[in-house]
Amino acid sequence: MPIFQNILEKIKTYDTIIIHRHMRPDPDALGSQVGLKEIIQHNFPTKTVKAVGFDEPTLTWLTQMDKVSDEDYSDALVIVTDTANQPRIDDNRYTTGAFLIKIDHHPNDDVYGDICHVDTSASSASEIITDFAFSTGLSLNAQAARLLYAGIIGDTGRFLYPSTTAKTMSIASQLRQYDFDFSALARQMDSFPYKIAKLQGYVYDHLEVDDCGVARVILTQSFMKEQGLTDAETSAIVGAPGRIDNVEAWAIFVEQADGHFRVRLRSKSAIINGIAKRHDGGGHPLASGANSYSLEENDQIYQELKDLLMSKSI
């Protein structure tokens, strides 16, 4: 793929490379970011390569960030992975480098970067990074393979989501051949603390399910403080409503410290990212995020989901 060669040439050109990803990282954000860092360092050991961003406490077992100074950005190549919109990029110094590359798999609603490579057919940014390495003849070490594999299984729901393709499976199979503890990784990604188990029970107990197959639940600040939960920890239950057979689409409203709600939207088949865009958000057709600034807007989002499902059934 010519775009991959262009990216590789830029990597070869710069001595310092700084890699960003989105705020509130998930395994794909970290896997693509630090997986790419490992690939570059492995193939070009004299280069300085750093990963920047907030260390999410629930994912430090996967990888951790580097300390990056303002001076590091001088004449540096900056690469942003897995981030559709510039406001979501973790650390706004991404604009201060010499050259900027965007690598992503979300709908390309915000085209940024001197090179912008977006492949919405890919299951994950980690799949794209792996494809980039294999296509350009770069070699991987075991740590890169571990991180990229974690990113792929995270964004495909362990290969259950519709974004999983034959290419996804082929790439994952190749990563699986590297020497990392697959079983330990799978156990870690599939386990959660007791308080998350209790949260899952709370979600099922308080889930509102409409006759048309739309569900919702609200997690208030008072409840989260009482249970000792962070916003990031609530992401562990985002798929829980979808395990109910008659639930086709759902919204999880998580109240933030400033009173607005972070909205996690999911669907089994109906395209929901249009609803997310109307409410200060966006994302994939079946997995999106939005923001709500009142209980009334929560109701509006819920109604829009119901209208969408009802229009599909006509």
Side-chain angles (χ1 to χ4, degrees):
M1 188 181 294
I3 190 71
F4 283 164
Q5 287 297 332
N6 293 341
I7 293 171
L8 179 59
E9 287 307 312
K10 288 300 177 183
I11 290 172
K12 290 179 178 178
T13 299
Y14 288 87
D15 293 326
T16 300
I17 301 163
I18 302 172
I19 309 174
H20 290 242
R21 40 75 184 160
H22 63 73
M23 300 173 182
R24 296 166 171 162
D26 56 10
D28 185 38
L30 294 174
S32 59
Q33 178 193 28
V34 188
L36 178 58
K37 171 192 167 182
E38 289 285 340
I39 290 169
I40 297 172
Q41 286 189 323
H42 182 64
N43 288 272
F44 306 99
T46 62
K47 293 184 183 296
T48 298
V49 190
K50 295 187 176 184
V52 64
F54 171 72
D55 269 318
E56 168 51 51
T58 62
L59 289 172
T60 52
W61 62 267
L62 185 60
T63 189
Q64 292 182 292
M65 299 292 99
D66 300 308
K67 293 186 182 300
V68 182
S69 69
D70 293 348
E71 291 72 27
D72 289 329
Y73 285 87
S74 177
D75 198 32
L77 170 63
V78 177
I79 303 174
V80 181
T81 69
D82 196 37
T83 312
N85 309 315
Q86 292 179 78
R88 291 200 68 214
I89 299 173
D90 194 342
D91 197 314
N92 59 17
R93 292 178 294 174
Y94 73 95
T95 61
T96 63
F99 198 90
L100 178 63
I101 297 175
K102 172 185 180 180
I103 301 175
D104 190 31
H105 69 123
H106 298 90
N108 199 18
D109 295 325
D110 184 0
V111 181
Y112 64 86
D114 301 294
I115 293 177
C116 178
H117 176 57
V118 175
D119 181 2
T120 57
S121 70
S123 68
S124 54
S126 294
E127 178 179 321
I128 297 173
I129 297 300
T130 310
D131 192 19
F132 160 71
F134 290 160
S135 298
T136 56
L138 297 176
S139 59
L140 276 66
N141 58 19
Q143 176 64 350
R146 170 182 173 269
L147 289 162
L148 294 165
Y149 190 88
I152 291 172
I153 64 174
D155 253 30
T156 61
R158 294 162 185 78
F159 310 111
L160 293 176
Y161 298 160
S163 60
T164 306
T165 65
K167 183 176 181 179
T168 306
M169 301 297 284
S170 175
I171 284 176
S173 176
Q174 293 176 74
L175 290 173
R176 182 67 182 83
Q177 296 176 45
Y178 287 81
D179 186 21
F180 63 92
D181 193 336
F182 162 78
S183 297
L185 177 64
R187 284 195 302 271
Q188 184 72 50
M189 294 190 72
D190 199 39
S191 64
F192 44 74
Y194 180 56
K195 64 179 177 179
I196 302 300
K198 291 174 66 177
L199 173 62
Q200 186 162 287
Y202 178 90
V203 168
Y204 287 132
D205 280 344
H206 293 81
L207 195 67
E208 178 183 349
V209 184
D210 186 80
D211 290 342
C212 65
V214 177
R216 70 170 170 178
V217 68
I218 296 176
L219 305 179
T220 65
Q221 272 286 298
S222 60
F223 167 75
M224 291 168 62
K225 288 177 181 177
E226 178 185 309
Q227 299 299 318
L229 293 163
T230 66
D231 176 79
E233 287 173 327
T234 65
S235 66
I237 51 82
V238 69
R243 297 189 180 98
I244 301 172
D245 58 2
N246 66 326
V247 170
E248 294 297 325
W250 60 99
I252 297 175
F253 298 90
V254 184
E255 188 178 15
Q256 305 297 296
D258 64 0
H260 93 279
F261 292 85
R262 183 182 183 190
V263 190
R264 295 186 173 98
L265 299 172
R266 296 294 185 270
S267 172
K268 292 177 180 176
S269 60
I271 306 302
I272 55 171
N273 56 354
I275 295 174
K277 290 176 186 178
R278 290 196 292 273
H279 296 275
D280 191 23
H284 298 292
L286 304 182
S288 297
N291 290 282
S292 169
Y293 298 94
S294 66
L295 292 174
E296 291 75 20
E297 189 172 2
N298 287 357
D299 290 340
Q300 183 182 350
I301 292 170
Y302 187 49
Q303 185 61 51
E304 288 179 31
L305 284 173
K306 290 192 285 186
D307 291 343
L308 177 65
L309 265 292
M310 286 188 287
S311 68
K312 278 196 65 183
S313 63
I314 294 174

